[in-house]
């Protein structure tokens, strides 16, 4: 089957006018096939078959139903990766309810924004997360919201429910199937807040098709793969690449509980014979910078990365450490994964350093000129855009608040503007430059921060960095860099000059940072993406204060 035919097949399946989400993700698969392998921090593994998942999710659905959950209601989780998590999520969809994922590293303010924004009726959370919902300055009290705590113990809060107790008391009878449609709401989540306040995005059921296409063609996962997506399911990539897409395809997926550690990651890769691995660039950087040696016995055949641009030092390391290259991919909460350096043999091409790949089947993209809504031409820096009519996997139409997406589409509605600046070469490979707002215009030159950052991080003393444009009377803007050093070093004028020379020699003589700021940490979103706009705001305030003096 061709890629185009596969897109048509999955689009028809998940965009149907009447469908049962639980059947498509679970019940249609052989009951004895493994759905998930869950590994705890100590390395102990347990498996969950589709038959087990079907039976337990019916009981969990009955438990939620007893709390008044029904079609369209929002149910949130604040849970780590576990069999409970995937069971609760499927139970939500069995009832026709809408899932609201929450990242366990969120503080109360971020949780409150999402719970209130989604109008969550129930929150299911792990005991170690319960304190985050205590009323306070960042968490308004909402007596209407029901709180359900996982585990077998009793909650310390009088009004809380214990999930195990609710499930034990629930009827063993399966819940009746709830019919929905491809346009029906599946997930209510929020953007990461890279450039401002997070916006609500409601994914329809048809959004699943794009992720299954990405799993098969972008990641190259097959039924014979040992597949592990290490991303957190509190975010779109982890939810869909680690849980939803594998379930849709009937492919076993591995979930590792707890936070990142190099030792645990290496052990899991070896012990579970992982052939297909995908994670954020920070995971690969963590492995690279760790003192833990690469263990023998790795079986990796394909490695992928998404969530933020992949800087070149990762693949310089991976060539030796992993014996292969990490493929960079590009996506957004709103649309899914439209660009990839594909692993599927039908679409695989030699990697180009710095490229985020070519359009995934079912997507059509270009780079638009800055001054008009027309293709910019090969090699010209412009606005990365999706051709809406030519992209059958495109499901995004607007944010939760109507009208918030007006700036995301061209006036004629043809192009969806990703908000990223980049270029595409003559062969159709796309290269990321920066967020649109992050492009630096210095003396008429348009400069993307990412390319300069990619040079700076090649210095052995640099752990990470961020490049911004600072106001300048003569040039309009000048380039400045914020640099975090290895082992918490303070930096020096000599090191700053060395970094400036590095950029001049390896990138461009005119595009070096005029000022190097050595700092302890970069401002980031909870998902780990650098917030350059906060650095720009801080720098402008500093310069304004200096001028006022």
């Amino acid at each position: 089957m061709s890629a185009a035919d596969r897109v048509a097949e999955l689009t028809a399946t998940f965009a149907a006018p009447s469908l049962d989400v639980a059947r498509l993700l679970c019940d249609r698969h052989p009951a004895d096939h493994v759905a998930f392998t869950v590994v705890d921090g100590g390395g102990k593994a347990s498996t969950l078959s589709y038959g087990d998942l079907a039976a337990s999710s019916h009981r969990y659905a009955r438990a939620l139903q007893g709390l008044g959950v029904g079609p369209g209601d929002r149910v949130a989780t604040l849970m780590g990766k576990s069999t409970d998590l995937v069971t609760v999520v499927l139970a939500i969809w069995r009832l026709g309810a809408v899932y609201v994922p929450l990242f366990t590293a969120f503080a109360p303010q971020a949780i409150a924004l999402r719970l209130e924004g989604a109008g969550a009726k129930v929150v299911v959370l792990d005991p170690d997360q319960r304190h985050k919902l205590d009323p306070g300055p960042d968490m308004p009290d909402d007596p209407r919201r029901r709180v359900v705590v996982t585990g077998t113990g009793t909650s310390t809060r009088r009004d809380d429910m214990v999930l195990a107790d609710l499930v034990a008391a629930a009827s063993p009878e399966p819940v009746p199937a709830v019919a929905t449609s491809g346009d029906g709401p599946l997930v209510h989540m929020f953007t990461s807040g890279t450039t401002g306040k997070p916006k609500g995005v409601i994914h329809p059921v048809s959004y699943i098709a794009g992720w299954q296409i990405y799993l098969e063609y972008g990641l190259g996962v097959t039924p014979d793969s040992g597949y592990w997506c290490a991303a957190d399911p509190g975010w779109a990539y982890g939810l869909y690449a680690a849980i939803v897409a594998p379930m849709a395809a009937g492919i076993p997926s591995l979930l590792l509980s707890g936070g990142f550690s190099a030792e645990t990651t290496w052990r899991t890769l070896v012990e579970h014979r992982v052939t297909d691995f995908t994670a954020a660039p920070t995971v690969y950087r963590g492995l690279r910078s760790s003192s833990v040696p690469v263990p023998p016995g790795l079986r990796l055949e394909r490695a992928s990365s998404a969530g933020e641009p992949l800087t070149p030092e990762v693949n310089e390391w991976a060539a030796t450490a992993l014996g292969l290259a990490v493929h960079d991919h590009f996506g957004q909460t709103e649309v899914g994964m439209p660009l990839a350096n594909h692993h599927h043999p039908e679409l695989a091409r030699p990697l180009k350093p710095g490229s985020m790949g070519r359009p995934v089947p079912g997507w059509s993209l270009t780079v638009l000129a800055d001054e008009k809504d027309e293709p910019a031409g090969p090699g010209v820096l412009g606005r990365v855009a999706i051709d809406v009519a030519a992209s059958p996997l495109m499901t995004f139409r607007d944010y939760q608040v109507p009208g918030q997406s007006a700036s995301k589409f061209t006036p004629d509605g043809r192009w969806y503007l990703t908000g990223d600046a980049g270029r595409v070469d003559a062969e159709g490979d796309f290269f990321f430059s920066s967020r649109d707002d992050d492009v630096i215009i210095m003396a008429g030159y348009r400069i993307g921060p990412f390319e300069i950052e990619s040079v700076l991080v090649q210095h052995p003393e640099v752990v990470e960095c961020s490049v911004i444009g600072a106001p300048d009377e003569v040039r309009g803007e000048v380039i400045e860099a914020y640099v975090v050093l290895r082992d918490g070093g303070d930096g020096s004028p000599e090191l700053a000059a060395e970094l400036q020379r590095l950029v001049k020699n390896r990138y461009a003589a005119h595009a070096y940072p005029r000022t190097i700021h050595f700092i302890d940490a970069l401002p980031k979103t909870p998902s780990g993406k650098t917030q350059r706009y906060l650095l720009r705001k801080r720098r402008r305030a500093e310069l304004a204060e200096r001028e006022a003096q």
Side-chain angles (χ1 to χ4, degrees):
M1 181 184 295
S2 70
D5 288 342
R6 185 61 170 153
V7 169
E9 179 182 56
L10 290 178
T11 300
T13 298
F14 289 100
S18 179
L19 52 82
D20 176 356
V21 174
R23 187 189 74 82
L24 291 176
L25 297 184
C26 178
D27 301 347
R28 64 173 172 158
H29 301 311
D32 60 343
H33 283 200
V34 173
F36 295 97
T37 298
V38 180
V39 183
D40 67 20
K44 183 180 178 181
S46 60
T47 59
L48 185 68
S49 70
Y50 280 104
D52 294 335
L53 180 57
S56 59
S57 62
H58 274 289
R59 293 292 293 268
Y60 281 48
R62 286 289 186 190
L64 293 175
Q65 196 175 52
L67 300 179
V69 175
D73 288 330
R74 270 52 175 172
V75 179
T77 68
L78 192 57
M79 302 169 64
K81 303 167 195 171
S82 63
T83 56
D84 266 349
L85 173 65
V86 295
T87 307
V88 167
V89 173
L90 185 59
I92 292 168
W93 291 332
R94 282 200 184 280
L95 297 173
V98 182
Y99 177 48
V100 182
L102 298 173
F103 183 37
T104 53
F106 277 149
Q109 188 176 72
I111 295 169
L113 182 150
R114 288 159 175 81
L115 292 178
E116 293 176 2
K121 188 172 186 175
V122 175
V123 184
V124 184
L125 45 70
D126 291 336
D128 63 350
Q129 299 288 322
R130 180 60 185 86
H131 67 282
K132 295 179 181 178
L133 265 64
D134 289 343
D138 293 333
M139 177 59 67
D141 188 21
D142 186 350
R144 298 169 300 175
R145 187 183 301 131
R146 309 302 294 272
V147 177
V148 179
V149 182
T150 64
T152 56
T154 58
S155 175
T156 58
R157 277 73 169 184
R158 184 182 61 185
D159 296 330
D160 287 357
M161 308 286 186
V162 176
L163 181 61
D165 294 343
L166 294 175
V167 172
S171 167
E173 292 297 315
V175 295
V178 175
T180 185
S181 69
D183 293 331
L186 180 79
V187 170
H188 192 152
M189 68 189 321
F190 292 77
T191 58
S192 62
T194 307
T195 59
K197 187 176 180 179
K199 298 181 180 70
V201 181
I202 301 173
H203 296 153
V205 175
S206 56
Y207 185 75
I208 298 173
W211 282 93
Q212 187 171 346
I213 286 292
Y214 169 67
L215 181 82
E216 296 176 5
Y217 287 89
L219 297 177
V221 177
T222 72
D224 296 326
S225 296
Y227 174 59
W228 180 21
C229 170
D232 193 282
W235 298 101
Y237 193 81
L239 172 61
Y240 287 98
I243 295 176
V244 180
M247 290 177 70
I251 290 173
S253 180
L254 188 148
L255 299 175
L256 175 64
S257 302
F260 169 81
S261 82
E263 183 177 9
T264 302
T265 301
W266 287 127
R267 183 185 68 218
T268 304
L269 287 168
V270 172
E271 290 183 356
H272 292 274
R273 301 170 177 258
V274 174
T275 59
D276 297 64
F277 181 61
T278 183
T282 51
V283 169
Y284 293 103
R285 294 186 194 117
L287 293 174
R288 171 179 173 265
S289 62
S290 169
S291 60
V292 179
V294 180
L298 283 179
R299 294 173 177 262
L300 276 181
E301 298 175 11
R302 289 167 287 274
S304 303
S305 175
E308 59 179 304
L310 188 71
T311 43
E313 83 283 0
V314 170
N315 269 331
E316 292 175 5
W317 163 82
T320 301
L322 305 179
L324 45 73
V326 181
H327 289 215
D328 197 12
H329 300 163
F330 168 83
Q332 293 186 328
T333 300
E334 293 91 334
V335 299
M337 301 298 295
L339 287 172
N341 283 291
H342 298 86
H343 284 287
H344 192 287
E346 184 181 323
L347 302 178
R349 301 287 185 277
L351 292 185
K352 296 178 181 179
S355 172
M356 52 187 175
R358 299 183 180 188
V360 173
W363 295 96
S364 177
L365 289 86
T366 193
V367 172
L368 297 178
D370 286 326
E371 67 281 359
K372 54 185 177 181
D373 298 330
E374 297 178 4
V380 179
L381 187 65
R383 299 168 293 161
V384 179
I386 295 171
D387 188 339
V388 175
S391 301
L393 295 176
M394 177 71 170
T395 62
F396 179 75
R397 297 293 180 267
D398 204 348
Y399 291 107
Q400 176 188 355
V401 177
Q404 279 191 333
S405 68
S407 63
K408 300 292 289 184
F409 293 89
T410 54
D412 61 2
R414 177 181 177 182
W415 301 102
Y416 167 83
L417 306 173
T418 63
D420 292 296
R423 56 186 173 84
V424 59
D425 67 16
E427 295 178 304
D429 288 285
F430 284 73
F431 294 80
F432 176 82
S433 176
S434 69
R435 295 291 300 175
D436 275 350
D437 292 342
D438 294 332
V439 172
I440 302 165
I441 302 176
M442 186 180 74
Y445 291 103
R446 288 176 55 80
I447 301 165
F450 176 65
E451 293 171 293
I452 301 171
E453 292 164 357
S454 295
V455 173
L456 290 171
V457 295
Q458 294 177 43
H459 192 284
E461 294 300 313
V462 175
V463 173
E464 59 181 351
C465 66
S466 184
V467 167
I468 65 164
D472 182 82
E473 287 185 4
V474 177
R475 300 178 181 88
E477 288 185 308
V478 292
I479 299 167
E480 298 193 1
Y482 288 80
V483 174
V484 178
L485 296 178
R486 193 174 306 279
D487 300 324
D490 294 331
S492 65
E494 293 75 20
L495 179 56
E498 189 176 330
L499 293 173
Q500 290 170 327
R501 287 194 299 272
L502 186 68
V503 175
K504 290 178 182 179
N505 294 335
R506 294 191 179 180
Y507 178 58
H510 72 285
Y512 71 93
R514 264 54 178 186
T515 305
I516 304 284
H517 306 272
F518 296 106
I519 59 175
D520 294 332
L522 299 175
K524 295 184 178 182
T525 67
S527 63
K529 297 179 182 178
T530 301
Q531 295 172 304
R532 290 193 188 93
Y533 80 98
L534 291 180
L535 293 173
R536 287 197 301 270
K537 183 178 179 181
R538 178 195 305 178
R539 186 56 174 156
R540 286 168 184 164
E542 291 171 351
L543 294 173
E545 182 179 352
R546 183 184 304 172
E547 186 175 338
Q549 295 173 350

